[in-house]
Every structure is written in structure tokens, then in C-alpha cells.
């Protein structure tokens, strides 16, 4: 009798071990399945993130993906611009003569000016050239003049300021072509080829009223070649309250609000900001799911008033 009970105990113990082993196998199988799903899903999300980021970088030279190699005066280009392109997008700067000399300053930087925590996490190296025209042999200069390549180091908010000085009597004739050419092999932090602009200095106007004008920079080009659009706003005469409006087919540069300290009404597609005399480029991008057919479908326009409230021009 005792022998039979021991045999039954042994059988129950063996059965318990078998059930435990089967349970462990099920747990291992479940974990393996979960890992496989996670790998597949993770791979999909990684691919989606890559393609989305690649799209952002491909749509425009002046898009958000390039905002961490930028300038307050120069425009970003994916390929070196020709003279015609620079003429269409020329920048006007107001100068204030002093001791028969005029000067203006421009900057090149690798971070968001409104928040230095948003800094390029990769190096960008460029070579700077400044060419003066219409000076008839007069002495002019820019400083500092880099001895060679200039590096904007990764993860270090850096802003380089340069000042161009020329004789007052050359106002109305002088202009400058400025280029910061990217050294591509040393610049993983940008896909741009250069920052560049044709800069035309002008004396501060004596009039008390403001004129506000706007134009699409690339309108002479083939519309189908563009997925982003540069709109130049020009204010002359006096500071003005400028109102930009745009159609449902485009969206304004997402950094515009931060850079100008304003809030856009994205429901009604409008934003108002204060602007000193001069010119600036505002970037627009195709809205999700929209396919405008020509320049007129963008609906971008500008109007302005003086700071005292008198409407001058549109």
C-alpha cells in the first residue's frame, strides 16, 4: 500500500513538471512573437520618419530643415545662383551716413535666434566672398575678413557678424554680391550649397509715409518645378504694420511666428507684423493634400499701414 502511494506521488510530481514546462514554452513563444512584431513595427516607423524628414529637406532650399544654417540678409540656395536669380531676389538695406561713410551688417549663424537651444547638431563650414560693384575704384571694405574657411561648430550656438563699409557718395550706384559657399565635405549640418544675396544699400527716406509691396521671387520660373515659394516683402519710407495673407493651398514658414514674435491666424490665413524699411523674404510651402496649378493659386498678397494708422499701399 505504501509503495503504491509513493508511485502516485511520483506521477503527480512528473505531471506538474510537464505542465510547468509547457507553460514556460508558451511564455517564450509569446515573447518571441512580441519581439518580432516590435521589430517589424519599429522598422516601419523608422522608415516613415526617414522618408518624412527626407521630404522636408527636398521641398525647398529655404525650408525648415535648413533653418540652422541661415542669415538675416542672405538667402539659402540648393545650387549656386546665377546673376538673374540674384537680381530677382535682391535685398535692400537702409544705411545711415556718418562722416561721409555708409555701412551695413549681416550675420551668418547656426541656431534659432529666438532660442539658442535650437542649435545645429552638426558642423557647417563655409567660405565667404563679398564683391562690390558700382564703386568706380573707391575704397571700400568688409570686416572681419576670414583668412580661410569659417566653421560653425556642432552643438555650439554661433553667430558671425560682418560689416561692409563704403563711401556715402556711392549710394544709388553701389551694390554688393555676398556669398557664403558651403564646403560640402566638411558640412554634414546642411544640404544647402550656399547663402547668397545681391544687396543694394539705400539712404533712409525722408518721407513720413510708408509704401508696402510684395512679389513672388520665382514667378518667372516654371511653376511645376517648385514645392515651396519665396515671397519678397518691401517696405519703403517709414516703418509699417504689414499684413500678409495667403490661400488654402499654402502654409507660411513655421518659424515665422517665432522669429517675428507674432501669432498667425492660420484659420483665416493671415498674419500682421511690424517691419522697418527694407526687404525680406517670407517662405511658403504647399499645404498637405493641396496641389496648386499655377502661381495665381497661391493667393499670397500683402498690405500695409503706417504705424500711425494711415493706409498707404497694397
Amino acid at each position: 500500500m505504501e509503495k503504491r502511494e509513493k508511485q502516485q506521488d511520483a506521477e503527480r510530481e512528473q505531471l506538474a513538471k510537464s505542465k510547468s514546462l509547457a507553460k514556460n514554452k508558451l511564455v517564450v513563444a509569446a515573447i518571441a512573437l512580441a519581439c518580432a512584431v516590435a521589430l517589424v513595427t519599429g522598422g516601419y516607423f523608422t522608415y516613415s520618419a526617414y522618408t518624412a524628414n527626407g521630404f522636408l529637406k527636398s521641398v525647398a532650399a529655404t525650408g525648415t530643415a535648413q533653418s540652422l544654417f541661415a542669415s538675416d540678409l542672405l538667402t539659402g540656395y540648393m545650387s549656386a545662383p546665377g546673376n538673374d536669380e540674384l537680381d530677382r531676389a535682391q535685398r535692400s538695406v537702409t544705411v545711415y551716413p556718418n562722416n561721409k561713410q555708409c555701412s551695413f551688417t549681416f550675420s551668418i549663424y547656426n541656431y534659432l535666434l529666438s532660442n539658442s537651444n535650437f542649435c545645429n547638431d552638426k558642423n557647417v563650414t563655409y567660405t565667404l566672398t563679398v564683391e562690390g560693384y558700382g564703386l568706380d575704384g573707391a575704397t571700400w571694405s568688409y570686416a572681419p575678413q576670414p583668412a580661410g574657411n569659417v566653421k560653425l561648430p556642432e552643438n555650439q550656438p554661433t553667430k558671425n557678424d560682418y560689416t561692409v563699409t563704403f563711401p556715402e557718395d556711392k549710394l544709388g550706384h553701389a551694390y554688393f554680391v555676398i556669398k557664403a559657399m558651403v564646403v560640402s565635405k566638411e558640412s554634414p549640418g546642411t544640404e544647402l550649397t550656399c547663402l547668397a544675396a545681391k544687396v543694394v544699400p539705400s539712404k533712409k527716406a525722408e518721407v513720413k509715409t510708408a509704401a508696402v509691396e510684395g512679389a513672388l521671387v520665382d514667378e518667372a520660373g516654371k511653376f511645376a518645378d517648385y514645392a515651396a515659394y519665396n515671397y519678397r516683402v518691401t517696405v519703403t519710407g517709414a516703418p509699417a504694420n504689414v499684413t500678409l495673407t495667403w490661400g488654402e493651398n499654402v502654409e507660411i514658414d513655421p518659424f515665422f511666428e517665432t522669429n517675428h514674435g507674432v501669432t498667425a491666424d492660420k484659420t483665416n490665413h493671415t498674419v500682421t507684423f511690424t517691419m522697418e524699411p527694407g526687404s525680406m523674404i517670407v517662405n511658403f510651402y504647399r499645404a498637405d493634400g493641396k496641389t496648386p496649378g499655377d502661381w495665381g493659386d497661391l493667393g499670397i498678397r500683402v498690405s500695409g499701414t503706417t504705424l500711425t494708422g494711415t493706409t498707404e499701399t497694397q
Side-chain angles (χ1 to χ4, degrees):
M1 183 69 175
E2 182 179 354
K3 183 177 181 180
R4 184 177 179 181
E5 288 178 353
K6 288 182 178 180
Q7 183 177 357
Q8 289 176 343
D9 290 341
E11 289 175 352
R12 283 194 293 269
E13 183 178 355
Q14 183 63 34
L15 179 60
K17 288 181 179 180
S18 298
K19 288 182 178 180
S20 177
L21 180 60
K23 182 178 180 180
N24 288 339
K25 287 182 177 180
L26 287 173
V27 171
V28 171
I31 292 173
L33 178 60
C35 289
V37 171
L39 286 172
V40 172
T41 306
Y44 173 79
F45 286 143
T46 301
Y47 177 78
S48 298
Y50 173 80
T51 54
N53 192 44
F55 173 76
L56 281 176
K57 288 189 176 183
S58 68
V59 294
T62 51
T64 57
Q66 307 302 334
S67 62
L68 299 184
F69 173 55
S71 169
D72 58 346
L73 187 62
L74 313 181
T75 300
Y77 290 90
M78 295 297 287
S79 58
N83 291 333
D84 289 343
E85 288 180 271
L86 292 175
D87 286 342
R88 290 197 301 269
Q90 74 177 30
R91 307 298 299 272
S92 174
V93 294
T94 301
V95 296
Y96 301 87
N98 182 28
N99 294 327
K100 298 184 178 181
Q101 294 288 306
C102 297
S103 64
F104 64 90
T105 299
F106 65 95
S107 304
I108 297 173
Y109 41 86
N110 67 346
Y111 63 97
L112 194 62
L113 293 182
S114 60
N115 187 347
S116 61
N117 290 324
F118 289 92
C119 175
N120 201 324
D121 62 358
K122 295 182 175 63
N123 293 326
V124 176
T125 300
Y126 64 89
T127 57
L128 180 68
T129 60
V130 181
E131 299 175 347
Y133 298 89
L135 293 158
D136 299 326
T139 300
W140 67 279
S141 65
Y142 72 94
Q145 291 192 26
N149 294 344
V150 182
K151 181 179 180 180
L152 299 175
E154 61 185 27
N155 296 316
Q156 297 181 38
T158 304
K159 182 164 74 78
N160 296 326
D161 298 324
Y162 303 95
T163 299
V164 178
T165 304
F166 62 97
E168 178 184 359
D169 60 8
K170 299 305 176 183
L171 272 174
H173 305 283
Y175 67 90
F176 301 86
V177 174
I178 304 171
K179 295 180 181 178
M181 301 298 299
V182 173
V183 181
S184 58
K185 293 182 180 180
E186 301 175 22
S187 303
T190 185
E191 291 180 354
L192 295 177
T193 294
C194 68
L195 302 173
K198 175 182 177 180
V199 181
V200 181
S202 59
K203 189 176 180 179
K204 183 179 180 181
E206 298 296 333
V207 296
K208 301 297 184 180
T209 58
V212 180
E213 298 176 336
L216 285 160
V217 173
D218 307 305
E219 196 166 7
K222 184 179 178 182
F223 183 79
D225 292 340
Y226 296 87
Y229 316 98
N230 296 319
Y231 189 80
R232 182 172 62 246
V233 178
T234 302
V235 172
T236 57
N241 289 321
V242 177
T243 298
L244 270 172
T245 57
W246 57 94
E248 63 179 9
N249 289 319
V250 291
E251 298 173 346
I252 197 168
D253 181 354
F255 285 132
F256 184 90
E257 295 170 285
T258 301
N259 289 338
H260 294 273
V262 296
T263 300
D265 182 348
K266 295 179 181 177
T267 300
N268 296 309
H269 307 133
T270 184
V271 65
T272 299
F273 59 99
T274 300
M275 182 173 167
E276 295 289 330
S279 294
M280 65 178 293
I281 298 293
V282 182
N283 308 127
F284 290 87
Y285 306 94
R286 285 187 187 176
D288 290 342
K290 301 295 184 180
T291 54
D294 57 40
W295 298 105
D297 292 342
L298 305 181
I300 305 172
R301 60 185 184 276
V302 67
S303 62
T305 63
T306 64
L307 295 184
T308 57
T310 304
T311 301
E312 297 300 333
T313 187
Q314 293 189 7

